[in-house]
Amino acid sequence: MTEDSTQHLTEPTQFRTHFVDCMEMPAEMQTVTEYFDAHSDWFRNCAQPMVAEPLGDNGYALVIGRFGSHGYQVEPKIGLHLLPEDHRVYRIETIPIPGYVTPGYDVDFQAAMKLIEAGADASSPTSDRTSKLSTPVTRVEWQLDLTVSIQFPRFIQALPKSLVQSTGDRLLRQIVRQVSNRLTRKVLEDFHKTHGLPAPKLAKRWFFQKSDDCLEDPSGDEHSV
């Protein structure tokens, strides 16, 4: 962005999305809790190719990647605080990154991950649906409320507001879908490897999606942004 392009900025445009989903992990709740508690052992590795740098004991500065449309590019960098478990719920919220000023955007990330004891012989939505698990199962239910505010430069302001809004909403959904699909796969693979379990057979689904009952994503495809 040049000096000229940053002049005459209007009020920020807000893009919001809400995603919910779930997965099941073949272990007792205590085992899953201990795994999530030790996020320093797996989070940075599972987040790759995103760069995650520690912020204190329970925080990370996360570089999401470069995204854009209509000639406008942004590389979101956000601070995330992984709060300790409280009544079987893990929350993640936005925190400031010391010494970092966001260049024309702001992110509000509010997530909650709930652990539910599903019992043995439960069908796993993240594995082959024809198989049954004979081991204890912990169900992980997740929801995310994400708001991104962007202060666009003048050349973007010339576009119709409806086009900017629809493009931003679509782009935000694609970012979440792309990132969450990769993160979910890596977390499940790491959990199985850490506990000596067979590699999970993942279905074509996303960790974040617009459903309250863990339905399959009907399109089954990824989006490159």
Side-chain angles (χ1 to χ4, degrees), residues 54-98:
L55 285 179
D57 295 332
N58 294 302
Y60 296 90
L62 190 65
V63 180
I64 306 298
R66 185 175 294 275
F67 302 91
S69 186
H70 301 297
Y72 179 79
Q73 298 288 327
V74 62
E75 189 174 31
K77 181 177 182 180
I78 60 175
L80 295 180
H81 186 202
L82 281 61
L83 279 70
E85 178 264 343
D86 181 21
H87 294 88
R88 301 183 178 181
V89 176
Y90 290 89
R91 299 188 184 277
I92 306 175
E93 59 185 20
T94 313
I95 56 173
I97 301 175

Side-chain angles (χ1 to χ4, degrees), residues 100-132:
Y100 177 73
V101 179
T102 57
Y105 69 86
D106 184 65
V107 178
D108 183 19
F109 186 106
Q110 301 292 331
M113 184 174 65
K114 184 177 182 179
L115 305 187
I116 300 174
E117 208 163 37
D121 296 326
S123 297
S124 173
T126 51
S127 63
D128 187 344
R129 291 183 180 276
T130 62
S131 67
K132 299 287 185 178

Side-chain angles (χ1 to χ4, degrees), residues 23 25 27-43 45-46 90 113 115 183-195:
M23 65 178 178
M25 307 179 81
E28 296 178 349
M29 183 178 298
Q30 182 61 34
T31 301
V32 176
T33 299
E34 292 173 355
Y35 176 79
F36 284 130
D37 285 345
H39 53 77
S40 60
D41 295 337
W42 55 266
F43 183 83
N45 180 58
C46 291
Y90 290 89
M113 184 174 65
L115 305 187
L183 183 59
T184 299
R185 174 177 56 83
K186 287 191 173 184
V187 168
L188 285 172
E189 289 175 350
D190 183 80
F191 179 81
H192 280 67
K193 181 180 179 180
T194 300
H195 294 85

Side-chain angles (χ1 to χ4, degrees), residues 148-167:
V148 178
S149 302
I150 301 179
Q151 197 168 39
F152 288 113
R154 185 167 54 185
F155 75 94
I156 292 294
Q157 298 173 30
L159 298 172
K161 290 184 178 180
S162 59
L163 175 62
V164 173
Q165 189 72 54
S166 61
T167 300

